[in-house]
Amino acid sequence: MHTWEMEYERKKTTAEDAVRLIKSGDKVVFTHAGSEPMELVDAMVRNANSYRDVTISNLVTLGKGEYSKPEYKDCFKINSWFVSPCVRQSIADGYGDFTPVFFHEVPYYIRKGIFEIDVCLAMVSTPDEHGYCSLGVASDYSIQAIKSAKTVIAQINDQMPVVYGETFVHISEFDAIVEASAPIPEMKIPEIGETELAIGRHCASLVEDGSTLQLGIGAIPDAVLASLKDKKDLGIHSEMISDGVVDLVEAGVINNSKKTLNPGKSIVTFLMGTKKLYDFADRNPGLEMRTVDYVNHPMVIAQNNNMVCINSALAVDFMGQIVSDSIGTKQFSGVGGQVDFMRGAAMTLDDQGKGIIAMPSVAKTRDGRMISKITPFIDHGAAVTTSRQDADYVVTEYGIAKLKGKTLKQRARNLINIAHPQFRDELAAEFERRFLTTF
Ligand code: COA
């Protein structure tokens, strides 16, 4: 038996016992997205009555978020760095909170102690013959959280893929080990309708052969990918990827051959899709996972020639201020990597980078009203995610509005021209009131 195997046996325990290492007042972080260790999180929630004021922080979560329910509000405090649906209500109701942060800065915040971590709950693959486990579907801030936490509890999951790159952690870094086999949490693949396909086609018209792509979350990135089947030699340098990328790699459209940074490899910091994506990533030398302070750093992104970044938004005002993470005063999601990539694309060394915000022209509000997502003013209390100086292209199903370098009036005209026809007259009248000139 190797020394690490003896250490492994010594640290092995049950989830019930492991979560007793969490103490009242601790700050707890989970490894990210599909790496959330459900077995440990469930055990922690079952043990809730033993805790007071345990702070829970994470970015995207695919878990149940039961710790954020009102009945646990004295046991767990939510401080999210991105608001996923399962924790949204706790923040809306005032007992949870949110910290705005650029995704690429999260490992730095952890290293500097700006984000303190007492306990990290991690999910990793089974160890290899040297005692190294892979974090599989998320490297991002997860590795830094493991290094900085005072206590690390690991769920060893034999269903976690082994993904190459900066994902390996030695079992000596764990204080307690819990073996629990479970499917990797999956993201529901959004349905792509006519609107998304039209948006996808407009975005595809901005993508040249040989481009390197970043794609955000949601139906629109998938629709863009579906419109790229006739392109050649595309590459990936993206915060995350989902199932749509697998089809384009298998079709030979994405081959990373023209990449100026990390040629031959898709570079990502986390994976979020279905088992199809996770199987594709398992021991795939064509895919490399790096930490988010590398992948999302604007100066790293800028080293990719023909970089095209595609993200989405909730609303865009006449000046090109992009609201992506709040609806009025309600915190809806988070900054994530949107600004990292908008800025990285703007700084590209070949001057060819493009930052695209792609969204449907209208949305349905909770009370069933149809509203224009292109608006004269941002909603009261809403936060600007991407500033008007950083805005480049906005795309809806009605076309493309170029904003960079444009005046206030040119921006507003370009945006109104891609608004839903039902709202254009109303928006043109607002234009005339605001700019005291004809539309
Ligand atoms: N006012 C009110 N409600 C609005 C709205 C607006 N202007 N725009 C959208 N909505 C509603 C929608 O109707 C929908 O409601 P529902 O949940 O009841 O169906 C909801 O808000 C979400 O809108 P949708 O267009 O389906 O969102 P999405 O899943 O495509 O995600 C963002 C869009 C902007 C929320 C998402 O891309 C995001 O969080 N971005 C910020 C972070 C980021 O860009 N990261 C990039 C790297 S991954």
Side-chain angles (χ1 to χ4, degrees):
M1 202 183 239
H2 294 105
T3 319
W4 72 261
E5 285 172 304
M6 290 188 279
E7 189 177 349
Y8 185 98
E9 288 305 317
R10 207 172 53 245
K11 290 178 175 174
K12 211 162 72 177
T13 182
T14 61
E16 250 59 44
D17 279 345
V19 296
R20 292 203 185 102
L21 293 170
I22 302 171
K23 302 285 173 232
S24 290
D26 274 355
K27 295 185 167 57
V28 175
V29 165
F30 316 145
T31 47
H32 188 217
S35 276
E36 181 166 329
M38 304 295 185
E39 183 80 12
L40 302 179
V41 175
D42 286 349
M44 180 187 76
V45 173
R46 284 196 298 275
N47 201 33
N49 289 333
S50 315
Y51 310 128
R52 271 194 91 77
D53 295 338
V54 167
T55 302
I56 307 286
S57 296
N58 51 20
L59 229 110
V60 174
T61 163
L62 294 177
K64 296 174 273 199
E66 286 190 327
Y67 45 81
S68 72
K69 287 187 173 162
E71 58 263 39
Y72 297 124
K73 67 179 185 218
D74 294 328
C75 314
F76 301 116
K77 304 278 176 228
I78 310 303
N79 173 8
S80 268
W81 309 329
F82 187 97
V83 178
S84 292
C86 65
V87 297
R88 204 171 281 149
Q89 199 57 43
S90 71
I91 295 164
D93 289 347
Y95 56 90
D97 209 348
F98 163 75
T99 304
V101 58
F102 296 126
F103 196 3
H104 86 272
E105 289 193 324
V106 174
Y108 160 78
Y109 277 31
I110 296 172
R111 271 196 305 277
K112 294 279 283 182
I114 299 169
F115 286 168
E116 287 171 64
I117 304 178
D118 295 301
V119 181
C120 177
L121 304 183
M123 185 159 77
V124 296
S125 72
T126 45
D128 66 10
E129 65 273 29
H130 307 289
Y132 284 93
C133 304
S134 170
L135 265 163
V137 297
S139 171
D140 46 57
Y141 65 82
S142 303
I143 284 204
Q144 188 61 52
I146 290 172
K147 286 193 193 326
S148 298
K150 293 177 195 133
T151 303
V152 181
I153 307 172
Q155 174 181 344
I156 306 281
N157 184 351
D158 61 5
Q159 298 188 48
M160 178 65 98
V162 172
V163 180
Y164 295 139
E166 290 175 294
T167 73
F168 293 97
V169 185
H170 195 259
I171 65 109
S172 55
E173 306 221 30
F174 306 146
D175 297 285
I177 289 171
V178 176
E179 289 178 344
S181 180
I184 304 307
E186 297 188 14
M187 182 181 76
K188 195 166 162 273
I189 299 300
E191 276 174 35
I192 302 178
E194 274 311 308
T195 303
E196 288 79 15
L197 283 174
I199 294 170
R201 284 192 293 273
H202 291 306
C203 290
S205 74
L206 294 168
V207 176
E208 288 166 26
D209 289 344
S211 294
T212 292
L213 305 176
Q214 175 261 332
L215 299 146
I217 303 179
I220 287 164
D222 276 358
V224 175
L225 288 167
S227 306
L228 294 175
K229 294 203 170 91
D230 298 326
K231 303 280 176 185
K232 289 193 194 68
D233 300 330
L234 298 180
I236 294 288
H237 182 104
S238 189
E239 172 179 318
M240 61 157 281
I241 52 169
S242 193
D243 289 26
V245 165
V246 180
D247 300 332
L248 285 193
V249 172
E250 281 169 0
V253 175
I254 293 175
N255 59 19
N256 297 304
S257 64
K258 295 280 189 311
K259 280 179 82 180
T260 43
L261 185 69
N262 302 302
K265 285 183 194 298
S266 292
I267 298 291
V268 296
T269 199
F270 73 101
L271 304 166
M272 203 161 68
T274 68
K275 191 165 182 307
K276 170 176 161 175
L277 176 71
Y278 306 148
D279 287 346
F280 165 81
D282 191 34
R283 296 180 169 83
N284 182 344
L287 179 80
E288 200 168 293
M289 183 123 27
R290 305 287 298 269
T291 56
V292 70
D293 44 354
Y294 175 82
V295 177
N296 278 33
H297 199 295
M299 284 161 72
V300 173
I301 297 164
Q303 294 171 53
N304 288 291
N305 280 3
N306 286 313
M307 184 76 215
V308 182
C309 304
I310 304 170
N311 292 293
S312 197
L314 295 164
V316 178
D317 78 0
F318 276 2
M319 297 191 289
Q321 301 195 94
I322 292 158
V323 174
S324 307
D325 64 299
S326 56
I327 299 177
T329 53
K330 288 223 164 69
Q331 191 58 46
F332 186 80
S333 62
V335 183
Q338 181 168 119
V339 181
D340 298 341
F341 278 93
M342 290 298 286
R343 292 199 171 148
M347 291 177 191
T348 43
L349 302 176
D350 68 343
D351 293 337
Q352 299 299 315
K354 295 180 186 135
I356 301 172
I357 295 293
M359 59 177 198
S361 63
V362 289
K364 218 184 216 159
T365 59
R366 279 280 146 88
D367 53 10
R369 277 179 307 124
M370 192 73 95
I371 56 161
S372 174
K373 286 163 72 91
I374 291 173
T375 57
F377 306 101
I378 64 173
D379 285 349
H380 175 75
V384 172
T385 312
T386 294
S387 78
R388 57 188 185 168
Q389 297 78 240
D390 290 312
D392 191 5
Y393 292 92
V394 174
V395 171
T396 69
E397 66 275 30
Y398 295 103
I400 303 170
K402 174 79 179 153
L403 303 187
K404 194 150 269 186
K406 305 293 178 196
T407 67
L408 294 182
K409 288 186 203 118
Q410 287 168 334
R411 283 162 182 253
R413 283 197 181 100
N414 290 354
L415 286 165
I416 294 167
N417 285 335
I418 61 160
H420 194 286
Q422 187 187 320
F423 292 100
R424 281 188 206 162
D425 287 347
E426 204 180 295
L427 293 169
E430 278 290 346
F431 177 98
E432 296 188 352
R433 267 197 290 281
R434 173 167 182 164
F435 294 112
L436 306 174
T437 184
T438 48
F439 176 65

